[in-house]
Amino acid sequence: MLSMRELSRVYRTEAVETTALDSIDLDIADGEFVAIMGPSGCGKSTLLNVVGMLDSPTSGSYVFDGQEVAGLPEGKLADVRKRNIGFIFQSFNLVDELSVRENVELALLYHDVPAAERRRRVDEVMDKVGIAHRAKHRPSQLSGGQQQRVAVARALVGSPKLILADEPTGNLDTQHGEEVMKMLQQLNREGSTIVMVTHSPAHADYAGRVVNMLDGKILIERRRAA
């Protein structure tokens, strides 16, 4: 699905140059569940942002689904991102003025999907993540775990090739965090490709592969035993 070679991201100001990613080589195949771990400031969130085309590399190659995307202008990056990638954030990022259904449907309004097809997809994905019975509720009426389920549904409704999850359990208690991780694991078993940043070794163990980072470099990768 994606391949990075000698990929670096350097941030420069007049006084300081900071290397956030340092010659990264990384391949992620269709259907993988990859967890990225490391201490704060190690580059894992920058890597996720580059994978998600929210940020661009300073140098190196990034091939996504057969297309070189390093160096593409923002407009073309946004188009590739919109068609292929779903995002799950730590802070949920739901619109409280909208119902659960409307929050999920919002992702499809940018895809020019006809109304009947939007309804079908929204119903299907809400049922898949177990929040169909909350369709008319507002986010403020839900628990943290339920809000994250809505966020997962919103990420899935566009049928993305890749799901990126940035600390998806960071704002959840232990029980709700485990529920979200089990849901992500099940989605992966059903074919979704997932890349997740996490601080939790226990949650990283849900992934099939763990990538450990330090100082902008990949230190070690390990695969979970089958």
Side-chain angles (χ1 to χ4, degrees):
M1 169 169 291
L2 68 87
S3 179
M4 295 178 167
R5 289 293 177 271
E6 292 291 312
L7 186 139
S8 296
R9 181 63 173 103
V10 180
Y11 297 98
R12 295 183 177 94
T13 66
E14 289 185 5
V16 179
E17 180 175 288
T18 303
T19 300
L21 298 176
D22 188 359
S23 299
I24 294 288
D25 289 338
L26 180 66
D27 296 300
I28 294 174
D30 285 336
E32 276 202 280
F33 186 173
V34 178
I36 302 172
M37 296 193 71
S40 296
C42 73
K44 58 187 184 299
S45 291
T46 301
L47 178 58
L48 199 73
N49 286 340
V50 172
V51 170
M53 302 175 211
L54 298 172
D55 197 358
S56 296
T58 305
S59 62
S61 170
Y62 175 18
V63 176
F64 180 88
D65 200 28
Q67 178 182 7
E68 176 64 69
V69 295
L72 284 181
E74 173 53 35
K76 290 187 177 180
L77 277 179
D79 185 56
V80 176
R81 183 171 65 235
K82 181 175 69 174
R83 288 186 286 108
N84 294 287
I85 302 175
F87 294 89
I88 304 167
F89 301 98
Q90 176 177 339
S91 56
F92 315 139
N93 288 359
L94 302 178
V95 181
D96 202 46
E97 292 75 22
L98 301 180
S99 68
V100 164
R101 166 177 282 281
E102 290 166 337
N103 266 281
V104 176
E105 186 178 16
L106 192 62
L108 292 177
L109 297 180
Y110 304 106
H111 291 262
D112 298 322
V113 178
E117 174 67 7
R118 288 202 308 269
R119 285 193 296 272
R120 185 193 68 78
R121 286 205 208 175
V122 171
D123 285 341
E124 184 179 279
V125 78
M126 287 195 306
D127 187 60
K128 187 179 190 118
V129 303
I131 45 99
H133 62 298
R134 298 287 192 177
K136 295 181 180 180
H137 287 70
R138 298 289 178 87
S140 60
Q141 297 173 298
L142 306 180
S143 70
Q146 289 168 333
Q147 289 187 60
Q148 193 59 297
R149 285 175 180 269
V150 178
V152 172
R154 183 184 57 195
L156 288 173
V157 74
S159 302
K161 289 186 172 73
L162 176 65
I163 298 170
L164 301 182
D166 190 1
E167 297 282 0
T169 61
N171 284 340
L172 303 178
D173 60 29
T174 301
Q175 178 184 340
H176 288 125
E178 292 297 324
E179 289 176 2
V180 167
M181 289 310 307
K182 288 175 181 175
M183 179 174 56
L184 292 177
Q185 189 178 56
Q186 183 58 37
L187 291 171
N188 175 246
R189 286 171 176 160
E190 293 169 1
S192 294
T193 306
I194 302 173
V195 179
M196 174 184 71
V197 162
T198 182
H199 277 100
S200 168
H203 291 168
D205 281 343
Y206 281 88
R209 176 159 58 115
V210 179
V211 174
N212 287 95
M213 295 187 67
L214 185 67
D215 296 335
K217 295 177 178 288
I218 292 176
L219 282 188
I220 190 169
E221 298 186 40
R222 64 177 174 85
R223 294 186 180 274
R224 192 182 63 213

